[in-house]
């Protein structure tokens, strides 16, 4: 099989940046409120993990000849991402106690925003 001429974007870096931001914020909040700290970590991981799975599936294949595989991988990745997210939220709300619900959702939402900024930065760098 020939190698694709288009470089794969550095999407794995986004998950690493998200994890670093999440850990810094959580560690800063640790002395203030342990439950909030733990809840933020859980919410962030609920977003980062399934998104990393989706990204891995989506960027497995490159090139025009791989289009059918790419489409299947995107569907598989999105389905897996949604299932993982639902399962992780369910496990959190069912088995983690005490947990701060606003903290979980804040961590989840904050990691989405960090992901958007990282993706925008990667896109702007690749267009230059």
């Amino acid at each position: 099989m020939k190698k694709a001429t288009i470089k794969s974007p550095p999407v794995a870096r986004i998950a690493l940046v998200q994890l670093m931001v999440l850990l810094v914020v959580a560690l800063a909040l640790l002395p203030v409120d342990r439950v909030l700290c733990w809840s933020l970590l859980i919410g962030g991981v609920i977003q980062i993990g399934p998104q990393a799975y989706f990204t891995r599936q989506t960027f497995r294949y490159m090139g025009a000849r791989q289009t059918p595989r790419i489409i299947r991988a995107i569907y598989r990745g999105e389905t897996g991402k949604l299932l993982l997210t639902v399962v992780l939220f369910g496990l959190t709300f069912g088995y983690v106690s005490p947990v701060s619900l606003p903290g979980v959702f804040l961590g989840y939402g904050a990691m989405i925003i960090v992901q958007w900024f990282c993706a925008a930065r990667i896109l702007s760098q690749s267009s230059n």
Side-chain angles (χ1 to χ4, degrees), residues 51-103:
Q51 181 62 38
Y53 173 79
F54 171 78
T55 302
R56 169 77 173 104
Q57 291 297 316
T58 302
F59 291 102
R60 270 171 67 179
Y61 305 105
M62 298 292 291
R65 290 187 182 139
Q66 301 294 324
T67 301
R69 286 185 176 165
I70 292 168
I71 298 299
R72 280 194 303 274
I74 289 170
Y75 285 132
R76 189 179 311 116
E78 187 62 27
T79 302
K81 174 184 165 183
L82 290 172
L83 288 173
L84 283 169
T85 302
V86 167
V87 167
L88 291 172
F89 271 121
L91 290 172
T92 298
F93 298 145
Y95 293 103
V96 178
S97 182
V99 67
S100 165
L101 295 181

Side-chain angles (χ1 to χ4, degrees), residues 3 32 36 49 57 70 92-94 108 118 125:
K3 198 91 162 127
V32 177
L36 179 61
Q57 291 297 316
I70 292 168
T92 298
F93 298 145
Y108 185 86
C118 290
Q125 287 175 350

Side-chain angles (χ1 to χ4, degrees), residues 10-76:
V11 291
R13 253 191 284 165
I14 294 174
L16 292 175
V17 169
Q18 286 177 293
L19 283 172
M20 289 188 304
V21 169
L22 182 63
L23 289 174
V24 167
V25 171
L27 288 174
L29 289 173
L30 186 60
V32 177
D33 186 347
R34 287 186 161 197
V35 173
L36 179 61
C37 170
W38 180 245
S39 299
L40 280 171
L41 279 171
I42 291 170
V45 168
I46 290 173
Q47 195 282 328
I48 296 168
Q51 181 62 38
Y53 173 79
F54 171 78
T55 302
R56 169 77 173 104
Q57 291 297 316
T58 302
F59 291 102
R60 270 171 67 179
Y61 305 105
M62 298 292 291
R65 290 187 182 139
Q66 301 294 324
T67 301
R69 286 185 176 165
I70 292 168
I71 298 299
R72 280 194 303 274
I74 289 170
Y75 285 132
R76 189 179 311 116

